[in-house]
Amino acid sequence: MGSDKPAGLWKRAFRGLAGDRDQQDAEVLQDFAQDCGARSITGCHDREMVTLYGTLRTITFSPRGGVPALEGELYDGTGTVKLIWLGRRKIGGIHPGSELIASGRIGVVDGDRVMFNPRYELRPTAAHG
């Protein structure tokens, strides 16, 4: 058959019979990430240019060294990365629950994966479940 999409839907449906909701949501995010060519967060290395897909869990305003900074925790079903937009207090469409594709150089600061000033594309929120 020409497309993997129906097989993926069936696979998720069968997994959903026995799995919990968080695991199902994580698997859906991972499937969407794979479909759009994104890497898994846990598979990224320090200083690597990457494209990621996930859901913003939190958004906070945390000035860094006197500079405004908007921070979002992106979750892709495998792990998290902190997206940090320097010089920004808010960005239209960026809020908890937003799904997006983020591209940039991943790094590690104080043990956390981070990406400063990522390019991003907001995506329609997928119907999980």
Side-chain angles (χ1 to χ4, degrees), residues 49-128:
M49 290 295 291
V50 296
T51 297
L52 307 171
Y53 174 88
T55 300
L56 289 171
R57 286 183 160 173
T58 61
I59 295 291
T60 57
F61 175 70
S62 303
R64 291 177 163 259
V67 175
L70 187 66
E71 298 185 5
E73 180 187 59
L74 186 73
Y75 174 70
D76 75 346
T78 69
T80 61
V81 64
K82 190 181 296 184
L83 304 179
I84 302 170
W85 288 276
L86 297 171
R88 304 296 297 263
R89 295 179 187 279
K90 63 180 181 175
I91 299 173
I94 299 289
H95 54 79
S98 295
E99 292 189 14
L100 58 89
I101 297 171
S103 298
R105 189 170 307 278
I106 200 162
V108 177
V109 175
D110 298 329
D112 294 323
R113 293 176 193 268
V114 298
M115 186 182 290
F116 287 95
N117 296 321
R119 289 182 314 274
Y120 66 93
E121 177 185 339
L122 292 169
R123 306 296 296 172
T125 302
H128 298 279

Side-chain angles (χ1 to χ4, degrees), residues 17-33:
L17 295 175
D20 70 348
R21 178 72 178 201
D22 290 338
Q23 181 63 32
Q24 290 173 32
D25 288 346
E27 290 172 354
V28 168
L29 280 172
Q30 291 169 46
D31 287 345
F32 279 117

